[in-house]
Amino acid sequence: MGFFNKLFSGHHGGGRGHHGGHYRDSDHNRGYGNGSNTQQPTNLIACASCGCANQPGARFCQQCGTSMVATQCTKCSTVLAPSARFCGSCGQARG
């Protein structure tokens, strides 16, 4: 094949297009995944300590082991966040 034929016939030569004739035209329109075969995690809960995403209902963080269960203040019964060290209502230290 001459220089000009190679130059004008595409970068794989032979005039078969840029895939060298191995792909169908429909392959150009096909994506790399439309999400139908992959499951997207939903309703994940972030750990208050490290930020790792955990499944709903998890009692402990899968990354750092911090408790994911809310507790009540021993003095005023206010619900405390899992990462709280003191009650936000009365200031009582977490027991």
Side-chain angles (χ1 to χ4, degrees), residues 2 11 24-25 29 34-35 40 45 47-48 54 60 72 80 82-83:
H11 63 273
R24 297 180 307 269
D25 288 336
N29 298 326
N34 58 7
Q40 297 295 327
I45 300 169
C47 173
N54 291 278
F60 297 95
Q72 290 185 340
L80 301 175
S83 63

Side-chain angles (χ1 to χ4, degrees), residues 5-59:
N5 287 340
K6 287 183 183 180
L7 182 65
F8 294 113
S9 65
H11 63 273
H12 286 283
R16 294 177 297 201
H18 66 275
H19 290 294
H22 298 289
Y23 291 91
R24 297 180 307 269
D25 288 336
S26 62
D27 290 335
H28 286 281
N29 298 326
R30 185 174 53 206
Y32 287 103
N34 58 7
S36 63
N37 293 334
T38 59
Q39 293 179 349
Q40 297 295 327
T42 58
N43 301 328
L44 294 178
I45 300 169
C47 173
S49 181
C50 71
C52 177
N54 291 278
Q55 295 295 324
R59 295 181 60 206

